[in-house]
Amino acid sequence: MNVKRAAKDIEGRLPELASHPQGRIPMAHIYQVIQTVMECPSKECDNDRLDDILLIIKDCVDLVDVVDVSSAIKHKYTPQVKHAPASLDRFFE
């Protein structure tokens, strides 16, 4: 299941929050859950983490009534390993 399809599935079903008086945006909710669980944006995750990301998306749909999905599922996934940024200094050593 991709984010677009999952967002359509949960549209209008997310619990109301005082911090979102105009309503919640399903696609933003899913991307926020991915970022919180993986500890980085989905676009920065390694390709081999695709299955985990797809499972997180599925969890967002399955747990649509849970206010804090990230906390509910975080224990199931290992965060993305952060890579050290490349530095030109390393090439000149």
Side-chain angles (χ1 to χ4, degrees):
M1 175 175 293
N2 64 36
V3 175
K4 196 179 233 183
R5 181 173 164 207
K8 284 183 182 180
D9 286 352
I10 66 174
E11 191 167 2
R13 297 175 45 206
L14 289 167
E16 291 183 21
L17 293 176
S19 58
H20 297 281
Q22 301 294 328
R24 296 174 70 186
I25 302 168
M27 194 172 291
H29 166 72
I30 294 168
Y31 280 120
Q32 181 63 42
V33 170
I34 293 169
Q35 183 168 338
T36 302
V37 171
M38 298 303 283
E39 297 183 5
C40 72
S42 57
K43 66 182 180 182
E44 293 180 17
C45 291
D46 293 336
N47 290 338
D48 63 349
R49 300 304 304 270
L50 177 62
D51 289 339
D52 287 336
I53 292 171
L54 293 174
L55 288 171
I56 292 168
I57 295 168
K58 183 180 180 315
D59 286 339
C60 287
V61 174
D62 293 344
L63 301 173
V64 70
D65 296 325
V66 176
V67 174
D68 191 359
V69 176
S70 302
S71 294
I73 66 171
K74 194 167 177 90
H75 70 279
K76 295 171 40 176
Y77 304 97
T78 304
Q80 169 66 42
V81 175
K82 293 180 175 77
H83 302 288
S87 169
L88 289 178
D89 294 337
R90 292 185 187 161
F91 296 107
F92 296 113
E93 292 178 351

